[in-house]
Amino acid sequence: MKYVCALYSCKSFSPKFFCTKQIYFFHVRVEGEVENLKVKLLRYTSDAELLCGAAALTSTQSGSPSEILEKIDSKTAKRIIKRVTGYGHASVIEHASFTFSIEGVSRVMTHQLVRHRIASYTQQSQRYVTYDTVESYMTPSSIAKTAEAKKIFDETLEEISETYKKLLRLGIPKEDARFILPNAAKTNIIVTMNARELRHFFNLRCCTRTQWETREVAVEMLKQVKKVAPALFENAGPSCVKLGYCPEGRMKPPQCNVKEIRKLFRSL
Ligand SMILES: Cc1cc2nc3c(=O)[nH]c(=O)nc-3n(C[C@H](O)[C@H](O)[C@H](O)COP(=O)(O)OP(=O)(O)OC[C@H]3O[C@@H](n4cnc5c(N)ncnc54)[C@H](O)[C@@H]3O)c2cc1C
């Protein structure tokens, strides 16, 4: 993993703090926070850029979509995608879809993820899967690094697990016993989004205003789709990457350095 140092100068952090194998911005890690986080791009539309480029040309050329797709080359497709989406006609990139497996995240994260409606989801069910070991839960690093907080957290989770198991032993079905499970419960989810929705998702969820776990997942998803379809995801990332300014107005965190964030996302 490459070294990426401070993205903005925050005087309260020493250079040592920044010079680690993680990506930081707004003093929050965007990579490395979630232990054992696995985001995998499982499947995606093959020749996604050719397909979206052909879709864009279908509106202006007399040939059939299949003929256009047969003839279009990668360079033309990239140029057309850039031009047409530049007009704001983003529906042409809806033809490309991407499916991810997101493993070992908390239910906090997936609750935020599923708020994005133009997507398909399948999530591990608490009606069928039992939550009875320490590994079943996710510990935020702010808690893990503070001994007293970690002790309280672990003891509470242990108590919850014990109560949960007692309920199961009493014959309470999993679907009811789960009512006492915490937001920290780990889960796996599979999500499919098209390129247009993904770009919108990245605008919101790669932003420093988004909760760290969701942001870490979003940044990982972005890195992976950029590798397979760079033209579809050019300038993707938090809104400021494309806009050149932060649209959050007075909600913009004062330390957030738009210039540095743009640089980071363009180099992902
Ligand atoms: C930093 C941050 C803080 C947040 N805080 C809160 C919070 O405190 N409480 C809370 O409840 N939520 C919160 N959210 C969630 C947020 O309100 C959205 O529900 C979530 O981000 C999904 O975004 P969306 O609705 O734009 O997009 P999606 O559901 O991904 O939809 C994409 C786009 O499709 C269009 N669209 C989809 N459905 C409709 C529809 N029914 N009608 C018209 N247009 C539609 C819209 O243009 C929309 O932007 C927060 C999100 C962020 C990023």
Side-chain angles (χ1 to χ4, degrees):
M1 196 189 305
K2 67 180 174 182
Y3 281 68
V4 179
C5 288
L7 287 172
Y8 77 104
S9 59
C10 178
K11 292 190 178 75
S12 61
F13 292 99
S14 68
K16 194 174 154 218
F17 175 85
F18 287 114
C19 291
T20 63
K21 287 182 179 179
Q22 277 132 6
I23 298 176
Y24 289 81
F25 61 79
F26 184 40
H27 79 257
V28 177
R29 273 187 274 177
V30 293
E31 188 180 339
E33 182 86 9
V34 187
E35 250 180 74
N36 303 321
L37 166 72
K38 283 194 194 126
V39 177
K40 290 183 199 158
L41 177 57
L42 295 179
R43 295 284 186 276
Y44 55 94
T45 305
S46 57
D47 296 328
E49 295 189 347
L50 294 182
L51 182 65
C52 294
L57 288 179
T58 296
S59 65
T60 53
Q61 293 193 358
S62 57
S64 68
S66 59
E67 287 164 350
I68 296 169
L69 182 59
E70 229 162 76
K71 284 184 201 146
I72 195 168
D73 59 74
S74 172
K75 206 172 151 197
T76 310
K78 287 178 193 295
R79 183 170 44 81
I80 298 294
I81 288 169
K82 190 172 180 169
R83 195 174 72 207
V84 174
T85 56
Y87 301 146
H89 300 174
S91 61
V92 296
I93 66 169
E94 290 171 13
H95 298 290
S97 81
F98 299 80
T99 300
F100 299 87
S101 166
I102 302 173
E103 303 165 24
V105 289
S106 71
R107 284 225 159 210
V108 171
M109 190 273 145
T110 56
H111 184 80
Q112 294 174 61
L113 177 68
V114 301
R115 291 297 300 278
H116 293 274
R117 293 159 288 181
I118 320 294
S120 306
Y121 304 98
T122 308
Q123 180 163 18
Q124 185 179 63
S125 170
Q126 290 184 332
R127 296 180 76 192
Y128 302 109
V129 176
T130 313
Y131 284 72
D132 56 358
T133 65
V134 179
E135 286 75 43
S136 305
Y137 305 100
M138 161 100 199
T139 309
S141 70
S142 63
I143 293 175
K145 72 186 179 200
T146 310
E148 198 184 339
K150 174 86 166 66
K151 188 168 173 285
I152 297 168
F153 189 81
D154 287 348
E155 283 171 1
T156 308
L157 287 181
E158 217 165 284
E159 205 181 321
I160 289 173
S161 284
E162 281 314 308
T163 312
Y164 174 72
K165 280 187 265 183
K166 271 185 211 160
L167 291 172
L168 294 181
R169 280 197 297 270
L170 286 170
I172 304 298
K174 280 191 193 120
E175 69 174 6
D176 292 343
R178 68 175 164 173
F179 275 59
I180 58 155
L181 293 176
N183 275 330
K186 273 189 190 168
T187 186
N188 300 323
I189 192 164
I190 179 166
V191 52
T192 301
M193 288 187 188
N194 67 48
R196 183 183 193 176
E197 176 65 1
L198 268 175
R199 289 193 63 107
H200 174 71
F201 173 75
F202 296 142
N203 284 167
L204 298 175
R205 302 302 185 173
C206 292
C207 171
T208 53
R209 288 206 59 230
T210 281
Q211 182 257 348
W212 54 266
E213 192 185 8
T214 301
R215 191 173 58 240
E216 189 167 326
V217 169
V219 171
E220 190 51 43
M221 288 164 71
L222 173 58
K223 280 158 74 174
Q224 295 187 29
V225 293
K226 271 190 114 167
K227 276 192 196 128
V228 299
L232 290 178
F233 296 99
E234 194 181 334
N235 283 327
S239 302
C240 62
V241 175
K242 189 163 182 203
L243 295 174
Y245 65 89
C246 174
E248 295 287 333
R250 63 188 181 85
M251 298 303 281
K252 172 181 174 287
Q255 305 92 324
C256 198
N257 184 329
V258 169
K259 200 171 151 199
E260 294 298 341
I261 287 172
R262 294 181 84 202
K263 203 163 127 193
L264 169 73
F265 279 93
R266 283 177 169 163
S267 69
L268 274 186

